[in-house]
Amino acid sequence: MANKTIKKITVVGTGVIGNGWIARFLANGLDVIATDPAKDAEIRTRKMIDQVWPTLEKQGLAEGASKARLKFEPDVAKAVMDADLIQENVPEREDLKRKVLSEIARYAKLDAIIASSTSGLKPSTLQHDCLHPERVIVAHPFNPVYLIPLVELVGGEKTSKETMKIANEFYQSIFMKPLLISTEIEGHIADRLMEAIWREALHLVNDGVATTEEIDAAIVYGPGLRWALMGPFLTLHLAGGEQGMKHMLEQFGPALKLPWTKLVAPELTETLKSKVIDGCEQQTTGSTIAEYEQRRDDFLIELMQLLKKYWPDTKVIGNKY
């Protein structure tokens, strides 16, 4: 794999995440082959690419970027055989992912990197049935993949350091922010943090403390604004004044013993599901999902431009490989 250049991509599975990857790859001037057993997969993918292309143009396309560089191939073996990197995005079921990744590994080039978009499974589990497991990694993105830069890169017990190095360089080359995670854990890092907030939010709705709209507002107009720039640790470091985190822990540390949070998820009863679904539908009354997606994408482009202005550092995050 030494000095490997990744030019040909295969995307396996074309749901929301798979299509997001396709859009990002195309926008960066790469050739993409997509494969998905669903009969309407190609129609859905091309429709989605058409919808987001103006957003990608606004963000800036690489030289040679073209929607015409996308091809569909129903046969997985043919789809992966010439790829330099295969991005797997099938549903989040361990048995299915292991089966698909094993099939990919059987037909892929020996020097191809095989990356799973799994949001929770460990790479050691996923690579267990694969030929040449040293090239299998987790590359977990965030929706919308074509705009959000974070990608969590995790190697399994048999993943080679060289594979991680090449993957890190590749994802940086398509303007992502790889977070190299050296210790495997279910849910990786970002999803575990989001899950904690999500569980607490469900308790607040379930207990009648707040509506979905009120909880969203609490994040949007409060900690969300600070987290977009600094994250929880640096935010609280500043909250400690001149003494930083030292003073913050001395002053607010005892509150950690108070029963403010529950963390264990509430039972997802029909009543709770109705509260959450009805709340979200009321929040979006009068607008379509597509309109909200466009609003989100326009916001993210401007937000990332602002983030780059105030936080221009481009160092690799967590590079322990």
Side-chain angles (χ1 to χ4, degrees):
M1 284 191 186
N3 299 318
K4 179 179 176 59
T5 300
I6 295 176
K7 293 183 177 180
K8 296 180 179 180
I9 310 291
T10 293
V11 172
V12 180
T14 59
V16 172
I17 298 300
N19 283 340
W21 276 120
I22 291 171
R24 179 176 280 273
F25 293 143
L26 291 174
N28 280 276
L30 295 166
D31 292 314
V32 181
I33 293 178
T35 185
D36 190 305
K39 292 182 179 180
D40 63 342
E42 183 170 1
I43 294 173
R44 286 188 291 102
T45 294
R46 294 194 184 278
K47 179 181 178 181
M48 179 271 188
I49 298 300
D50 287 340
Q51 288 175 340
V52 304
W53 203 254
T55 297
L56 295 170
E57 289 176 324
K58 185 183 301 183
Q59 187 184 38
L61 298 175
E63 183 178 352
S66 171
K67 293 183 286 185
R69 298 182 77 159
L70 170 64
K71 292 180 172 46
F72 263 77
E73 171 53 64
D75 188 320
V76 173
K78 293 179 180 178
V80 305
M81 62 187 301
D82 291 323
D84 300 313
L85 182 140
I86 299 110
Q87 192 78 45
E88 171 272 313
N89 315 275
V90 301
E92 194 77 0
R93 298 202 326 262
E94 180 182 326
D95 59 339
L96 177 61
K97 281 191 176 288
R98 285 178 62 170
K99 178 182 177 182
V100 171
L101 287 167
S102 175
E103 184 178 10
I104 290 171
R106 188 160 64 248
Y107 297 112
K109 298 188 299 184
L110 293 181
D111 64 344
I113 292 177
I114 302 172
S116 174
S117 296
T118 178
S119 60
L121 298 172
K122 293 181 178 180
S124 290
T125 299
L126 296 177
Q127 67 186 191
H128 186 267
D129 306 314
C130 295
L131 295 172
H132 303 286
E134 68 278 358
R135 59 197 172 142
V136 178
I137 65 170
V138 162
H140 172 232
F142 294 82
N143 187 45
V145 184
Y146 51 87
L147 289 180
I148 298 291
L150 182 64
V151 57
E152 295 179 309
L153 299 185
V154 196
E157 294 173 357
K158 298 181 180 179
T159 303
S160 70
K161 291 183 178 180
E162 186 179 16
T163 296
M164 293 298 292
K165 179 178 181 294
I166 294 169
N168 177 42
E169 292 173 351
F170 168 70
Y171 289 107
Q172 284 190 70
S173 76
I174 58 172
F175 302 98
M176 300 192 83
K177 287 280 189 180
L179 173 57
L180 278 75
I181 302 174
S182 59
T183 301
E184 291 183 84
I185 188 171
E186 292 88 349
H188 320 312
I189 294 177
D191 269 2
R192 291 178 76 93
L193 296 172
M194 291 191 296
E195 180 74 7
I197 294 175
W198 174 234
R199 291 183 182 197
E200 194 63 29
L202 288 175
H203 276 295
L204 292 171
V205 172
N206 194 48
D207 296 343
V209 175
T211 64
T212 60
E213 184 174 20
E214 290 166 344
I215 291 170
D216 282 352
I219 296 296
V220 170
Y221 300 111
L225 290 171
R226 300 180 300 190
W227 289 341
L229 178 65
M230 296 182 178
F233 280 104
L234 193 53
T235 293
L236 292 177
H237 181 56
L238 269 60
E242 291 298 321
Q243 295 182 35
M245 184 63 77
K246 180 177 183 299
H247 177 68
M248 201 286 301
L249 290 176
E250 289 173 351
Q251 184 170 354
F252 299 105
L256 293 173
K257 297 295 184 180
L258 299 176
W260 283 2
T261 61
K262 298 183 179 181
L263 288 185
V264 176
E267 185 68 30
L268 202 57
T269 63
E270 292 302 317
T271 299
L272 176 54
K273 285 193 287 187
S274 293
K275 285 184 178 181
V276 173
I277 294 169
D278 292 346
C280 291
E281 289 181 348
Q282 288 174 15
Q283 284 179 255
T284 56
T285 298
S287 298
T288 66
I289 292 297
E291 288 171 336
Y292 266 89
E293 288 174 337
Q294 186 62 58
R295 181 181 180 187
R296 175 202 63 193
D297 290 356
D298 290 342
F299 171 79
L300 286 172
I301 289 175
E302 293 185 38
L303 181 62
M304 286 189 292
Q305 290 170 345
L306 191 63
L307 184 61
K308 187 175 182 180
K309 175 182 176 181
Y310 286 95
W311 203 262
D313 189 7
T314 57
K315 68 180 180 181
V316 176
I317 312 167
N319 190 357
K320 300 178 182 177
Y321 288 88

